[in-house]
Structures are given as structure tokens and as C-alpha cells.
């Protein structure tokens, strides 16, 4: 159990947490947690809840999932880097990494579900194109806590768990991620259903922030640079917020790490907007978006409404950290992914491969010096080993809908399911 309050980054109002996603005064900016504990003490438990001092939770869920950080030899050797550290989120038993859904979305899902259970009643709803949905399904399968997940039908095969997910209601919609989001928003108007909140949810951000904490504890000092591939930008914001706490902790140095964030060409709206130092993303930053989204190597990076311009969002954290954004071609990402597999011995998620390609590019262009302390966030991976070692229960949709399905029909089904499961 941690002691904390919430604060609004726009009006500085402080308030207690009732699974609040936005400032009660109506501000549009992000809200942030402020923890009573300035110096973090790790709890004596496995998994991410060892960081509970800085998680907005009352209590914990038993899990082995947590970021693992180690000093690279393989990739560092090839690239001639003397201080490359890898934060790995995924499944890699040899390294003690048991994030079974395969990505750092699980670090968001566990604290979010625990925060919800401790702060309010209701069933959480997630709209996802893949990794987020799978992470929440996994937590639900392990804990029995009900979750409603809305996905585009093309993502169906991505929702699987290590044990049957009998309290997940999976709704698939013909269309893309944007259609799943808009259906999800509609379902959230039904009583008892709560949106998970994305970047606005402090449990998601502080959960992801554990990567920076784990990295800093392993390195003994804050890194000079933090590298991540971004779609919504939540992980970048989280890394900055965790760094603020680590600086205030006092034991890990005073220098704010620079954020180096990458997107996958041709869909790079944040890279474009930031290149003009513009707070707003314009339509022209994502020309022919629908088509561009089908052409990327990593589709988890194709969020059309990232947490970019909002107060406390990506624009602000890039400004505060003298950050850099870069774009990476799918071909470079693929090559970088193969390089990573061969020299580190684990298969990275395509998004993590984008990050490795970004690292190589930043070295070539002289943005990074070879002796700098680099924290490379490998945000997902280990899928091959997971497939070999763990059971895979593919969740079949409880309901398949189209954009033409009357909402009355959907809401009736959802409410019936709620009576049985919530
Ligand atoms: C979601 C995701 C990202 C992007 O994360 P954001 O911080 O939300 O932009 C990167 N890598 C993987 C593996 C992901 O699942
Ligand atoms: Zn406010």
C-alpha cells in the first residue's frame, strides 16, 4: 500500500484518488501522482509490485512480471558502446523475465487492475489492437477480475492467455483500431463500465515508469539517455516522471535523462510535429494515415491520437529533457531486430526492433556518443520461447459486430454479460 495524492499539472489542484482520470476542475492536462515516500524501498516480493512505493495501488497481485535490466555485451560489442544497458520486458526465463503476455503493457495492466479494485467498483474496458488487450486479458485470466476488451477483428488472433480467460468479454468489430476505440467509448457510457484511460491513467504511467526505475537501480545512476519506440507516447511520459522521482530520491544523480523516442515510417505523426517544435499534430503530419498504417513493421506504434500536445504529454517531456524524436524505416527495423536476436539471444517485438534501429541511427548521426550511459527499452519480446514453454489459450470473441450493428443489441449483450461476471 502506498500513500499518494493526485495533482493536476495545469491548475495544481490536489485531490484524493477515486480512480480519477482527469482533474475534477475540468482541466484537460494530465494528472500525476505524488507519493509520500521520497526514497524508494523495494518490497520483498517478486514482480512489479516490489515498486509499490511508487505505484498508485492499495495492495498487490502476485505476479512474476517485471522489467529486467542488464548490461549488454553482444549488441554493445558490435556497436562499440561501453555503457549500453538493456531493459527487457517480455518472456525470457534465463534472465528471470516472466512477463508472459510479452510486452511492457503488462506493467500497465497489473497496477491498473489493482488500482481499480482498490478505488472503485466497476468493470474496466480496454480498446486495443493487440499488446494492451493481451496484457489485460492475461491479468484477468490470472486474477479472475472481469475485463471487457474491444478489438478490430484483424487483431483477434493476438488475444491469448496462459490460462483460460473466463472473465474476459471479447468484442471484435470489423474495421480498424479507430473503430474499436469509438465502440469502446460508447460502451463506457453504460453503467458500471469504466474506461481504462490510456495515458491519462496514472497507474498505467507509473507501471511503465518501473522500467526507468529498474534500469536506474541496475546502473546505480540515472542513464544519460532513454530510448523507446512510441505510439501513444505513454512510456516516454512515464520514463520522464519516474526520472523526476529518482532525482528527488537523491541517490541516483541529478541529471535528467534525455529521451530519444522513435516511430516507424511512414506513420510518424509525433516525429513530424516535433521536428517543427509544434505542440499540435496536424492532419498533414500523417498523410494518407489509413494506408500508412498498413505499411509499418510495428503496428502497435500507429496511434492516431497520441498523448502528445496535452499538458504533461510528449511535447512537454521532450522539451523538459532536450529530447529527440527519430523515424525509422521498416527495412532498418527488420534488420535491427535480426541483429538484436543474433547478438542478445532473444527475439524482440517489432516495436523494440524499431528502437534498436533508432539506436543505430542515432549513433551514426553522432546524436549519441559511444561512452554515454544508454538505457535501451526493449518493450517486448521472447515470443518464440513463450510459444515453446507456455500454454496458449486463444480467446474467441464473445460477440462479433460491424459498424452497422445497432448499439442497442450490443448494450443488451454487454449488460447480460455484466450480470453474470461482474
Ligand atoms: C505499446 C507498445 C509500445 C509503444 O508504447 P507507448 O509508450 O504507449 O507509445 C512500444 N513497444 C511495445 C512492444 C508496445 O506494446
Ligand atoms: Zn486542474
Amino acid at each position: 500500500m502506498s500513500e499518494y495524492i493526485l495533482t493536476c499539472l495545469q491548475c495544481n489542484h490536489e485531490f484524493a484518488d477515486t480512480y480519477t482520470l482527469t482533474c475534477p476542475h475540468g482541466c484537460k492536462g494530465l494528472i500525476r501522482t505524488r507519493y509520500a515516500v521520497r526514497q524508494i524501498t523495494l518490497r520483498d516480493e517478486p514482480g512489479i509490485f516490489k515498486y509499490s512505493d511508487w505505484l498508485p495501488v492499495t495492495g498487490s497481485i502476485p505476479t512474476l512480471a517485471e522489467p529486467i535490466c542488464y548490461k549488454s555485451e553482444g549488441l554493445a560489442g558490435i556497436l562499440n558502446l561501453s555503457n549500453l544497458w538493456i531493459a527487457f520486458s517480455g518472456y525470457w526465463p534465463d534472465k528471470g523475465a516472466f512477463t508472459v503476455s510479452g510486452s511492457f503493457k503488462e506493467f500497465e495492466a497489473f497496477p491498473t487492475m489493482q488500482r481499480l479494485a482498490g478505488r472503485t467498483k466497476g468493470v474496466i474496458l480496454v480498446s486495443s489492437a493487440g499488446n494492451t488487450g493481451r496484457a489485460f486479458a492475461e491479468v484477468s485470466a490470472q486474477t479472475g477480475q472481469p475485463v471487457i476488451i474491444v478489438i478490430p477483428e484483424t487483431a483477434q488472433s493476438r488475444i491469448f492467455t496462459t490460462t483460460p480467460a473466463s472473465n474476459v468479454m471479447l468484442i471484435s468489430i470489423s474495421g480498424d483500431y479507430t473503430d474499436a476505440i469509438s465502440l469502446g467509448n460508447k460502451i463506457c457510457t453504460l453503467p458500471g463500465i469504466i474506461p481504462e484511460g490510456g495515458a491519462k491513467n496514472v497507474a498505467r504511467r507509473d507501471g511503465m515508469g518501473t522500467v526507468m526505475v529498474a534500469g536506474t537501480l541496475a546502473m546505480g545512476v540515472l542513464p544519460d539517455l532513454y530510448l523507446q519506440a512510441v505510439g501513444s507516447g505513454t512510456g516516454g511520459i512515464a520514463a520522464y516522471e519516474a526520472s523526476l522521482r529518482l532525482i528527488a530520491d537523491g541517490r541516483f544523480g541529478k541529471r535528467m535523462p534525455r529521451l530519444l523516442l522513435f516511430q516507424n515510417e511512414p506513420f510518424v505523426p509525433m516525429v513530424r510535429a516535433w521536428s517543427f517544435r509544434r505542440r499540435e499534430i496536424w492532419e498533414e503530419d500523417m498523410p494518407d494515415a489509413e494506408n500508412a498504417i498498413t505499411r509499418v513493421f510495428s503496428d502497435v506504434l500507429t496511434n492516431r491520437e497520441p498523448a502528445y500536445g496535452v499538458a504533461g504529454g510528449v511535447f512537454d517531456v521532450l522539451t523538459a529533457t532536450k529530447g529527440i524524436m527519430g523515424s525509422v524505416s521498416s527495412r532498418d527495423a527488420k534488420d535491427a531486430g535480426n541483429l538484436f536476436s543474433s547478438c542478445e539471444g532473444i527475439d524482440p517485438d517489432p516495436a523494440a526492433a524499431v528502437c534498436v534501429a533508432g539506436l543505430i541511427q542515432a549513433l551514426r548521426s553522432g546524436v549519441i556518443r559511444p561512452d554515454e550511459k544508454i538505457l535501451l527499452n526493449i518493450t517486448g519480446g521472447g515470443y518464440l520461447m513463450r510459444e515453446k514453454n507456455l500454454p496458449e489459450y486463444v480467446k474467441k470473441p464473445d460477440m462479433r459486430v460491424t459498424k452497422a450493428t445497432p448499439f442497442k443489441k450490443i448494450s443488451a449483450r454487454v449488460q447480460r454479460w455484466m450480470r453474470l461476471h461482474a
Side-chain angles (χ1 to χ4, degrees):
M1 158 130 189
S2 67
E3 258 182 73
Y4 65 97
I5 50 162
L6 300 175
T7 69
C8 170
L9 294 180
Q10 229 163 301
C11 74
N12 293 320
H13 179 51
E14 298 187 342
F15 48 99
D17 185 14
T18 53
Y19 198 81
T20 319
L21 296 175
T22 52
C23 173
H25 290 173
C27 303
K28 291 225 159 54
L30 296 181
I31 57 172
R32 193 182 283 164
T33 41
R34 183 176 302 157
Y35 294 99
V37 168
R38 192 169 61 88
Q39 290 204 325
I40 190 166
T41 309
L42 297 193
R43 305 287 164 91
D44 186 18
E45 55 184 308
I48 190 172
F49 290 97
K50 66 163 55 82
Y51 301 105
S52 285
D53 273 0
W54 291 352
L55 291 174
V57 293
T58 55
S60 64
I61 300 168
T63 174
L64 298 176
E66 64 175 306
I68 297 300
C69 184
Y70 67 95
K71 190 167 186 200
S72 165
E73 286 169 14
L75 186 64
I78 300 247
L79 300 178
N80 246 320
L81 296 173
S82 54
N83 244 317
L84 175 65
W85 294 72
I86 290 174
F88 180 81
S89 312
Y91 183 73
W92 193 0
D94 288 349
K95 285 266 192 268
F98 296 96
T99 304
V100 294
S101 73
S103 84
F104 75 160
K105 297 295 191 313
E106 214 170 304
F107 309 150
E108 306 184 79
F110 272 108
T112 295
M113 300 280 266
Q114 182 59 28
R115 179 186 181 212
L116 183 88
R119 296 291 171 190
T120 185
K121 281 202 179 68
V123 173
I124 204 155
L125 181 138
V126 182
S127 301
S128 162
N131 290 349
T132 306
R134 190 165 60 253
F136 277 86
E138 181 64 39
V139 176
S140 170
Q142 288 181 24
T143 63
Q145 252 181 288
V147 178
I148 299 171
I149 301 173
V150 185
I151 53 164
E153 68 185 0
T154 47
Q156 260 175 47
S157 59
R158 293 181 176 179
I159 307 298
F160 50 82
T161 49
T162 56
T163 167
S166 41
N167 285 315
V168 170
M169 181 180 198
L170 185 64
I171 303 173
S172 75
I173 179 165
S174 59
D176 65 12
Y177 181 43
T178 312
D179 299 309
I181 290 175
S182 73
L183 175 59
N185 288 343
K186 261 198 200 159
I187 297 176
C188 282
T189 61
L190 300 173
I193 300 179
I194 298 179
E196 51 81 21
K200 291 191 194 122
N201 181 349
V202 291
R204 283 191 68 159
R205 302 211 307 276
D206 293 357
M208 273 181 159
T210 60
V211 174
M212 178 62 88
V213 180
T216 299
L217 291 176
M219 297 166 82
V221 57
L222 279 150
D224 297 318
L225 300 146
Y226 169 87
L227 277 67
Q228 193 204 305
V230 288
S232 74
T234 311
I237 303 164
Y240 168 71
E241 293 176 323
S243 301
L244 288 175
R245 293 187 183 114
L246 288 159
I247 288 171
D249 179 300
R251 292 172 292 175
F252 309 107
K254 289 200 168 60
R255 220 178 40 201
M256 176 58 70
R258 291 181 82 181
L259 301 188
L260 261 63
L261 307 178
F262 306 105
Q263 296 204 282
N264 190 179
E265 292 159 12
F267 188 81
V268 294
M270 288 191 275
V271 181
R272 278 274 313 224
W274 177 247
S275 73
F276 297 110
R277 297 298 182 270
R278 223 195 303 113
R279 182 181 280 277
E280 296 80 32
I281 291 176
W282 291 347
E283 278 303 313
E284 66 191 62
D285 297 327
M286 31 185 181
D288 199 6
E290 236 158 83
N291 175 26
I293 283 172
T294 62
R295 281 162 49 213
V296 295
F297 180 55
S298 166
D299 63 358
V300 301
L301 304 179
T302 57
N303 192 310
R304 288 189 207 203
E305 289 179 28
Y308 177 76
V310 63
V314 174
F315 180 88
D316 284 340
V317 304
L318 285 170
T319 304
T321 67
K322 301 191 179 68
I324 294 173
M325 290 215 65
S327 61
V328 165
S329 73
S330 290
R331 159 159 236 155
D332 285 351
K334 213 167 163 186
D335 291 346
N338 289 335
L339 177 72
F340 187 87
S341 294
S342 68
C343 46
E344 294 295 333
I346 194 80
D347 53 308
D349 184 285
V354 166
C355 188
V356 177
L359 166 66
I360 295 170
Q361 193 172 293
L363 279 167
R364 289 213 178 116
S365 63
V367 167
I368 297 180
R369 288 195 325 267
D371 61 335
E372 287 188 286
K373 286 191 268 323
I374 301 165
L375 183 59
L376 181 70
N377 190 347
I378 298 298
T379 42
Y383 299 109
L384 298 176
M385 193 104 67
R386 185 218 183 278
E387 202 178 316
K388 224 170 67 190
N389 288 3
L390 298 175
E392 186 174 300
Y393 295 89
V394 178
K395 176 73 187 168
K396 289 217 183 67
D398 298 275
M399 189 176 192
R400 294 169 208 265
V401 306
T402 68
K403 277 175 260 187
T405 308
F407 185 65
K408 252 169 81 183
K409 199 172 153 196
I410 300 171
S411 71
R413 278 283 284 282
V414 169
Q415 282 166 320
R416 194 162 75 223
W417 183 89
M418 293 272 286
R419 283 194 291 277
L420 291 171
H421 295 267

